[in-house]
Amino acid sequence: MTYYNVTMKLNEKVPMRDGVNLSADVYIPQATGTFPTVLMRTPYDNNVDRLIDKAISLVNQGYVCVLQDVRGRHDSDGDYYPFINEAEDGYDTQEWIGNQAWSNGKIGMSGSSYGGWVQWQSALKGSKYLTCIAPQVMCGDLYSGLVYPGGA
């Protein structure tokens, strides 16, 4: 297995359709060529050791990793309204990734809790670059699975 050193591009501005810029930290293998990308979008801060360690681990295995703060959180611009902008923002981010020089056009998403929700929402928009999602610890139906579980 080939292991790659890491190039970090921190606080990359990813433009959304309404002019808001979201902050993404991009971890790229130090090698020529293009790579598949793992996208993780989070309201919890993309600059925490757990996510950074995961990004570096993915790069070592030949992936680009994009860690993005969702709209209105941490380094991203805009106002944070939970669950509202995740479909379009996720899609716009996927389209941005797919058009980067380091991208081979294949994106997988990973994350848990709210990081799972952003995957479900953006997948509905049908980016040609999104090839898989792996949501964890998140319901597929906010009403019955999160807000009013079991009718409570």
Side-chain angles (χ1 to χ4, degrees):
M1 174 180 248
T2 302
Y3 288 92
Y4 299 91
N5 290 322
V6 180
T7 295
M8 294 182 286
K9 294 184 176 183
L10 304 178
N11 202 22
E12 288 280 299
K13 297 301 182 187
V14 180
M16 299 295 106
R17 63 186 69 193
D18 62 357
V20 169
N21 288 309
L22 302 188
S23 175
D25 293 345
V26 183
Y27 297 78
I28 306 167
Q30 287 182 0
T32 58
T34 60
F35 303 90
T37 303
V38 176
L39 169 62
M40 292 184 254
R41 304 185 66 245
T42 181
Y44 309 123
D45 193 356
N46 69 352
N47 193 22
V48 295
D49 289 342
R50 177 182 61 80
L51 287 178
I52 294 168
D53 291 345
K54 182 66 175 174
I56 291 170
S57 173
L58 287 164
V59 169
N60 286 332
Q61 298 173 57
Y63 295 91
V64 170
C65 186
V66 175
L67 304 177
Q68 184 181 59
D69 290 324
V70 300
R71 180 183 293 251
R73 301 292 288 162
H74 307 283
D75 295 326
S76 284
D77 298 338
D79 296 315
Y80 179 62
Y81 297 104
F83 309 112
I84 301 300
N85 297 297
E86 305 313 341
E88 289 80 11
D89 288 355
Y91 175 86
D92 290 351
T93 300
Q94 293 156 14
E95 294 296 302
W96 178 83
I97 290 169
N99 286 290
Q100 298 304 302
W102 39 258
S103 174
N104 75 353
K106 294 180 189 273
I107 301 170
M109 293 184 73
S110 178
S112 58
S113 189
Y114 197 87
W117 176 253
V118 299
Q119 295 174 62
W120 287 117
Q121 290 303 289
S122 66
L124 295 171
K125 293 296 180 178
S127 172
K128 66 182 178 184
Y129 302 111
L130 184 63
T131 56
C132 71
I133 62 173
Q136 304 159 24
V137 194
M138 177 44 97
C139 57
D141 175 3
L142 285 182
Y143 183 81
S144 63
L146 183 67
V147 179
Y148 297 103

